[in-house]
Amino acid sequence: MYTVVEKVLLLQKVDLLSTARTEDLAVLASIAVEVLYPKGALIFEEGQPTDGLYIIIRGEVALAKDGTDVVTLEEEEALGAWD
């Protein structure tokens, strides 16, 4: 489990959040929940609303459209709503 400070440092590395103020990232970090998904797990389905912003800390996530992998996201990348 990461501390708030460690979460802030991780969030600063994400392109989407790289220009955010440290104070704002601290707020995000304080409510961020760590979730571990086993390899091959479905995080959410295409067209399904997501319940938040996902930041990949370790591993990779394949995004698929109509059952075909389109892109693979890796560490320090974010995903959520995707069209």
Side-chain angles (χ1 to χ4, degrees), residues 46-62:
E46 179 182 353
Q48 178 185 32
T50 61
D51 60 356
L53 176 69
Y54 295 80
I55 307 293
I56 303 166
I57 296 173
R58 280 189 308 265
E60 58 187 32
V61 174

Side-chain angles (χ1 to χ4, degrees), residues 23-77:
E23 297 83 7
D24 295 330
L25 292 178
V27 172
L28 286 176
S30 70
I31 62 171
V33 178
E34 297 167 49
V35 179
L36 177 64
Y37 290 97
K39 185 175 183 173
L42 179 65
I43 299 172
F44 56 86
E45 294 186 53
E46 179 182 353
Q48 178 185 32
T50 61
D51 60 356
L53 176 69
Y54 295 80
I55 307 293
I56 303 166
I57 296 173
R58 280 189 308 265
E60 58 187 32
V61 174
L63 300 180
K65 186 158 185 77
D66 300 322
T68 303
D69 287 356
V70 177
V71 66
T72 299
L73 301 177
E74 298 177 344
E75 295 176 6
E76 301 174 3
E77 293 188 285

